[in-house]
Amino acid sequence: MTTRSLERIIPSIPVSDGAGVKLRRSLGQSQGLRLDPFLMLDEFASDNPDDYIAGFPPHPHRGFETVTYMLAGDFEHEDHLGHKGHLRGGGAQWMTAGRGIIHSEMPLQESGRLHGFQFWINLPAAEKMKPAAYRDIQPEEIPVVSIAGGTAKVVAGQMEDSEGRHIAGPIQGLSTAPLFLDVRLEPGAAFTQAVAEGHSAFLYPYEGSVEIGEDGSSRALATRQAGVLSRGGQIAVQAGPAGAAFLLLAARPLGEPVVQYGPFVMNTREEIEQALDDYRNGVLAA
């Protein structure tokens, strides 16, 4: 089985989004820095409410999925139909924008730490206009797997635990077959994970650092850098001297044209123009 190597590093950069929320963006900071089908990865992490309190007031989406994963803090989300949900530390939300949705994400706290991530996954052309849908995932729904020298949370896909059992996350059956793990390792601990040979994959350490690849040819990946991996059937990671916590994301690439205009991601310029017309005419989410 071929072990993947670290092919490209995308350092995260400070950006502001929503009504002034301070973020760090790696994938998606430019349209050339994507990894099919992943469009964007943002991390928000602050103890200062001025960095997040304004939140993300109502805004539209069409043509892709947004995944929000919280480590600490509380958000309330609401859409144009009045549906509400509570996203809390340790939980996640998997939202399929599909044909269109207008929603908001606002902090349910006035102080304290807010730390989480949002990434976007493209939808295939055949699914871009399907009805919008939510999956709110509570912390207790996400399996925590014991591994040698650490733990892993399985949000999507599956992994093997230290006893050889296959542990599945709550998100299954999507056309891109995503794998989404949150892995925490003790200093120097090693971790391997099988992945489909042809799937795109990357790591994002949010604490500590890691070495990726086989002994003798591994490369270091520092905190808040996205590491794009080569093709191969498994991923090998070793935590640095301070340990590490990282997201591991993989999915089936779509191999389709991507035309993006802000919150709209379609296959052609004409479809983007139609999305803009639909939004102006109040029928984006009809």
Side-chain angles (χ1 to χ4, degrees):
M1 185 180 295
T2 304
T3 299
R4 296 190 180 217
S5 59
L6 178 55
E7 201 167 64
R8 180 173 52 150
I9 295 174
I10 305 174
S12 63
I13 61 172
V15 299
S16 177
D17 211 335
V21 178
K22 293 184 179 179
L23 311 165
R24 295 196 68 91
R25 180 166 295 164
S26 49
L27 268 70
Q29 58 189 257
S30 71
Q31 295 196 6
L33 293 177
R34 300 188 184 114
L35 179 65
D36 184 15
F38 298 103
L39 300 165
M40 188 192 78
L41 173 65
D42 284 349
E43 178 183 12
F44 43 92
S46 181
D47 297 294
N48 180 359
D50 292 340
D51 292 342
Y52 61 73
I53 200 68
F56 302 89
H59 57 282
H61 290 302
R62 174 180 279 182
F64 60 99
E65 298 181 296
T66 73
V67 182
T68 307
Y69 175 61
M70 298 294 293
L71 297 177
D74 292 85
F75 263 115
E76 179 180 69
H77 63 87
E78 183 175 5
D79 69 17
H80 63 289
L81 297 175
H83 300 139
K84 289 186 178 182
H86 181 194
L87 181 57
R88 56 194 174 99
Q93 181 199 73
W94 205 287
M95 186 185 82
T96 301
R99 172 186 168 81
I101 196 164
I102 300 170
H103 76 135
S104 64
E105 298 152 301
M106 301 300 291
L108 277 177
Q109 61 191 68
E110 296 181 355
S111 62
R113 184 152 183 81
L114 189 74
H115 190 187
F117 308 87
Q118 185 173 98
F119 60 91
W120 294 2
I121 303 181
N122 202 8
L123 284 170
E127 298 179 21
K128 284 186 176 294
M129 296 297 282
K130 69 181 184 180
Y134 289 107
R135 174 73 190 273
D136 287 323
I137 305 164
Q138 300 305 318
E140 56 270 19
E141 297 180 70
I142 300 175
V144 181
V145 180
S146 294
I147 54 177
T151 59
K153 295 181 179 180
V154 189
V155 183
Q158 66 176 15
M159 67 170 293
E160 192 173 290
D161 70 7
S162 55
E163 298 181 6
R165 297 172 298 193
H166 288 87
I167 309 299
I171 298 296
Q172 303 288 329
L174 302 181
S175 57
T176 52
L179 172 70
F180 175 16
L181 306 180
D182 176 11
V183 181
R184 183 172 291 273
L185 296 176
E186 298 170 359
F191 169 77
T192 59
Q193 171 65 34
V195 287
E197 183 83 27
H199 285 199
S200 302
F202 72 97
L203 264 76
Y204 183 85
Y206 59 90
E207 292 178 18
S209 62
V210 295
E211 293 277 339
I212 298 174
E214 297 178 317
D215 291 342
S217 60
S218 63
R219 287 181 63 192
L221 186 65
T223 311
R224 296 195 167 106
Q225 294 181 332
V228 177
L229 307 182
S230 66
R231 292 291 191 259
Q234 73 172 7
I235 296 168
V237 182
Q238 184 170 20
F246 59 89
L247 305 185
L248 169 56
L249 291 157
R252 178 184 295 119
L254 299 176
E256 296 179 352
V258 177
V259 181
Q260 180 177 356
Y261 183 83
F264 307 130
V265 183
M266 304 301 288
N267 298 101
T268 68
R269 185 67 197 180
E270 292 74 18
E271 290 170 332
I272 292 292
E273 295 293 345
Q274 185 63 58
L276 289 167
D277 285 345
D278 289 346
Y279 182 52
R280 294 187 194 106
N281 295 327
V283 295
L284 177 85

